Amino acid sequence: MPTEVLIYFAIFNNEIPQPTDYPQISPTDSLWSLMRKCWNSEPSGRPPMMEILAELKDEISRCDARDQGPEAEPAVA
């Protein structure tokens, strides 16, 4: 089963996925950091939606640049 599906199942079962449970994904992956912020048990400790969107947009730009190779310039919004 793909890792993403296993993570969805964990979330669906009210579990907080841990990077150590999914060695296929680097524990330093920036999305783990974002997810940990979003799963903060204190609502006031969770990032606002605009911050989440900005981080996801940055991640997409990094992935696009990586996929296009080292000569590609990052997308500018």
Side-chain angles (χ1 to χ4, degrees):
M1 196 173 299
T3 301
E4 295 85 1
V5 174
L6 295 173
I7 292 172
Y8 296 144
F9 280 137
I11 294 167
F12 186 75
N13 288 316
N14 293 318
E15 299 170 9
I16 296 177
Q18 300 299 316
T20 53
D21 296 332
Y22 304 95
Q24 311 89 316
I25 303 172
S26 170
T28 59
D29 188 299
S30 61
L31 291 178
W32 281 123
S33 174
L34 176 60
M35 289 187 289
R36 276 192 291 275
K37 291 179 201 175
C38 292
W39 292 327
N40 191 318
S41 60
E42 289 295 321
S44 62
R46 298 175 193 152
M49 185 56 74
M50 293 306 291
E51 182 180 327
I52 295 169
L53 292 173
E55 286 195 40
L56 290 174
K57 192 173 188 179
D58 288 346
E59 180 65 19
I60 290 168
S61 293
R62 282 190 295 273
C63 288
D64 286 346
R66 182 187 65 224
D67 291 346
Q68 293 176 10
E71 67 281 348
E73 293 185 24
V76 177

